[in-house]
Amino acid sequence: MPSFDIVSKVDPQTLENAVNTAKKELQTRYDLRDTKGGIELDKKTNVITLTSENDMRIRALEDIVLTRLVKQGIDGTALDFTDEAHASGTMMKKTVKVRAGIDKDAGRKIIKAIKDAKVKVEAQMQDDQVRVSAKKIDELQAAIAVLRSADIGQPLQFVNMK
């Protein structure tokens, strides 16, 4: 029975390269030249920490990181900017989480989108991925087309097509 897996992951090396180029841009930007703080990546927890003097510069750092990620080929929806910047002494600090894996909420959205499209496939949640199976490969391709047009809120990759 043909099947494929839907996953959401970010290549750690590409992420590190994008953060490093963002750090270099921070050093060369004229409007951010005298900024104390910067951009840090915690590889273990997949969190990017932005620190600066005020909220305006935090937003500028967000913009720099986002443009560098997109130029490296990482989807911008992989970053979670929902946390607010908070004061840490004289500095403002903001943590940006990098989404990896499909959580239960996104899994439900994916399965609901497939069922609403009335494609003859079976979708089931497995840990941090969704497995989709069908009798024909054409039906699997129709399910992929449905998911590419749907707005799930995070980047999706389709792997292990068998």
Side-chain angles (χ1 to χ4, degrees):
M1 189 173 224
S3 67
F4 69 90
D5 295 331
I6 303 168
V7 297
S8 179
K9 57 185 172 183
V10 175
D11 181 34
Q13 185 62 47
T14 308
L15 178 66
E16 186 178 3
N17 289 344
V19 170
N20 287 339
T21 55
K23 286 180 187 178
K24 287 180 184 177
E25 182 176 341
L26 176 63
Q27 293 171 352
T28 60
R29 287 254 310 243
Y30 180 75
D31 58 338
L32 300 172
R33 185 173 39 183
D34 59 345
T35 299
K36 297 177 184 82
I39 304 166
E40 295 299 320
L41 171 66
D42 185 4
K43 296 178 194 173
K44 292 180 182 175
T45 59
N46 269 349
V47 172
I48 300 172
T49 306
L50 309 173
T51 54
S52 189
E53 292 93 13
N54 56 32
D55 198 39
M56 181 196 73
R57 289 191 175 171
I58 292 285
R59 285 195 299 273
L61 292 177
E62 286 177 6
D63 187 46
I64 290 171
V65 169
L66 188 60
T67 55
R68 290 297 155 196
L69 284 173
V70 170
K71 284 186 179 182
Q72 291 282 339
I74 298 174
D75 194 349
T77 57
L79 296 180
D80 184 15
F81 287 107
T82 56
D83 289 344
E84 291 295 321
H86 59 278
S88 175
T90 60
M91 305 289 276
M92 296 289 286
K93 189 181 237 184
K94 182 168 185 171
T95 57
V96 179
K97 295 177 184 163
V98 180
R99 295 183 182 142
I102 297 175
D103 59 347
K104 298 280 185 198
D105 226 17
R108 284 189 204 110
K109 284 183 186 177
I110 291 169
I111 293 171
K112 185 178 182 325
I114 291 172
K115 285 185 179 180
D116 289 347
K118 306 247 190 278
V119 182
K120 296 181 180 180
V121 297
E122 288 184 29
Q124 56 192 5
M125 190 75 184
Q126 294 181 344
D127 295 329
D128 61 346
Q129 66 184 14
V130 176
R131 166 124 337 139
V132 180
S133 58
K135 292 181 181 177
K136 297 180 183 177
I137 292 181
D138 294 339
E139 294 166 351
L140 292 178
Q141 291 172 340
I144 290 174
V146 165
L147 290 173
R148 288 206 173 146
S149 64
D151 181 28
I152 303 300
Q154 67 185 84
L156 300 175
Q157 292 89 29
F158 307 101
V159 296
N160 296 337
M161 180 76 107
K162 297 176 186 173

